[in-house]
Amino acid sequence: MRYSTDWKDYELIDCSDGEKLERWTREILIRPDPQVIWKSERENSLWYQPCARYVRSRSGGGKWQVFKHIPAAWQVRYKDLTFNIKTMGFKHTGLFPEQAVNWDFTRELIRSSGRDDVKVLNLFAYTGAATVACLKEGASVVHVDASKGMTQWAKENAAASGVQDGDVRWIVDDCMKFVRREIRRENKYDIIILDPPSYGRGPKGEIWHIEDCLYDFMKDVRRVLSDNPMMVMLNSYTTGLSASVMKYILDDVITKDLGGTVTADEIGLPVTSNSGVLPCGATAIWMNK
C-alpha cells in the first residue's frame, strides 16, 4: 500500500467500528468510514471529546453534530501546499489527505522530467489539490469539474498556495463531453489525472456511472495523450473498481497501444495509535517507460 508519512496538519489518530478519529490542524473530527469494520477498543480520550462528529441518518444523508466551536473554514498545509477546508454535507471536508502520496509522485515526475512545457489535464478535479501540486512545479494545467462551486474552491486553493498566477484554465463542464471536444480540437496532454466519482451528474444533468462509463471514457482519454506522454493516473474510491481492475483497463486501453507499464495499488493513511494503515481507495498509474 502507498501512503505519505509527511503530514503535519492532518493526522488519522484512530479508527474503529465504522468511524475514524482525525485531527485537522487543531480540530478533532469523527467521520464515518465503511471500511472500518473492526471494533478495536477506543482507548484514546479524544473519541469522547471531539469538536464535531458526522452522524449518518437511517433515512439517508446525515448531519454534523458540533460539540465545540470550529471555524466556518480553515486551512491545512502539506509541505508547501495550502488548502482551504470546512465541514461539508455528506461527511466531507473538501480534501482527501490520502491523495498526498499521489501529489508527491506527480510533482517528482514533472520535476525530474527537466521540461518546462509539461501539459496536465486534471479531470473530475474537485477542489484542485492535484492542480495546485502540478502548478507548483511549473506545469500548465487544464482543470475540469462539473461543479461551479468546487471549481471556485479550487481557485481559492491555488491562491492559498501562491500559484493563482500559474498557467491554468478553469473549466466547469462534463468531463466526458470536454474530452470529446478536445479530441476534435486535437489538443494533447502529457499527464492526465482522473478521480472519477462512482456516480455523478454533469452541469446539464449528464449521468455518470463509473462501471458503465469508465472503459469507453478511457479510450477517449487515450486519444488526448501527447506524442510523448508521461503518465495517466486513475484514482477510484469505488469498492468494485479495485487496483487490479483499473490496471487491466489501463493496460488494455493504453499499454497495448503505446507500450509502457502500469502499476496499481491501494492508497491509505497511517494510523498513529498503532502500526496500521487504513485503506482509502486505489490508484493505477500508466507510465511511458
Side-chain angles (χ1 to χ4, degrees):
M1 188 184 300
R2 299 169 55 242
Y3 56 90
S4 172
T5 59
D6 293 328
W7 272 107
K8 292 181 173 58
D9 277 5
Y10 172 83
E11 178 185 5
L12 177 54
I13 302 168
D14 198 7
C15 48
S16 176
D17 197 14
E19 293 182 308
K20 53 190 177 184
L21 176 68
E22 303 170 296
R23 177 181 60 82
W24 297 80
T25 59
R26 294 182 297 274
E27 315 306 325
I28 304 299
L29 305 181
I30 297 176
R31 297 192 295 157
D33 190 312
Q35 295 207 88
V36 183
I37 62 173
W38 47 90
K39 299 183 180 181
S40 311
E41 290 295 325
R42 297 189 173 190
E43 298 176 349
N44 193 302
S45 62
L46 292 174
W47 278 113
Y48 310 102
Q49 46 185 328
C51 298
R53 181 180 195 171
Y54 188 87
V55 179
R56 283 189 169 139
S57 169
R58 292 182 179 178
S59 59
K63 64 179 181 179
W64 286 96
Q65 295 178 339
V66 179
F67 305 106
K68 301 177 183 179
H69 173 74
I70 57 175
W74 69 101
Q75 292 184 329
V76 299
R77 293 173 178 81
Y78 179 76
K79 297 182 178 179
D80 57 348
L81 308 178
T82 301
F83 304 109
N84 300 288
I85 65 166
K86 61 185 176 182
T87 51
M88 303 165 58
F90 195 64
K91 77 177 182 179
H92 294 305
T93 63
L95 187 70
F96 294 96
E98 63 273 13
Q99 286 291 331
V101 68
N102 287 334
W103 310 332
D104 288 343
F105 186 93
T106 306
R107 292 185 69 174
E108 176 57 28
L109 177 64
I110 297 170
R111 189 183 306 125
S112 64
S113 73
R115 294 174 50 182
D116 59 4
D117 61 346
V118 176
K119 296 179 63 177
V120 179
L121 176 60
N122 188 13
L123 297 167
F124 309 97
Y126 195 49
T127 58
T131 294
V132 171
C134 294
L135 289 171
K136 273 288 187 182
E137 298 303 325
S140 65
V141 184
V142 175
H143 171 112
V144 188
D145 195 272
S147 168
K148 184 177 181 180
M150 293 299 107
T151 304
Q152 177 58 38
W153 194 334
K155 292 179 182 180
E156 293 165 4
N157 282 337
S161 289
V163 291
Q164 68 273 18
D165 295 325
D167 186 359
V168 57
R169 292 174 57 208
W170 306 102
I171 307 293
V172 178
D173 202 352
D174 174 75
C175 288
M176 290 187 291
K177 289 186 175 180
F178 177 80
V179 169
R180 289 169 190 151
R181 284 197 295 273
E182 292 294 87
I183 292 170
R184 293 195 294 271
R185 296 168 183 145
E186 298 185 352
N187 287 333
K188 306 286 186 177
Y189 299 89
D190 304 303
I191 294 174
I192 301 178
I193 301 168
L194 307 95
D195 202 348
S198 300
Y199 172 84
R201 287 182 179 271
K204 296 183 179 179
E206 301 90 344
I207 301 295
W208 166 274
H209 282 288
I210 194 166
E211 294 90 346
D212 298 332
C213 300
L214 182 61
Y215 182 78
D216 288 338
F217 182 54
M218 292 308 301
K219 290 196 288 187
D220 285 340
V221 166
R222 154 67 189 94
R223 295 176 65 188
V224 294
L225 281 171
S226 68
D227 293 336
N228 187 25
M230 298 165 63
M231 180 182 76
V232 175
M233 176 179 283
L234 175 61
N235 296 293
S236 173
Y237 291 92
T238 304
T239 304
L241 203 65
S242 67
S244 296
V245 169
M246 292 192 294
K247 180 182 187 305
Y248 196 104
I249 291 172
L250 292 186
D251 275 330
D252 194 60
V253 173
I254 302 177
T255 311
K256 186 184 294 185
D257 184 23
L258 298 181
T261 58
V262 177
T263 58
D265 204 347
E266 290 181 303
I267 58 173
L269 291 167
V271 183
T272 56
S273 66
N274 56 48
S275 59
V277 180
L278 176 67
C280 301
T283 301
I285 302 171
W286 173 83
M287 299 281 289
N288 188 20
K289 61 178 181 180

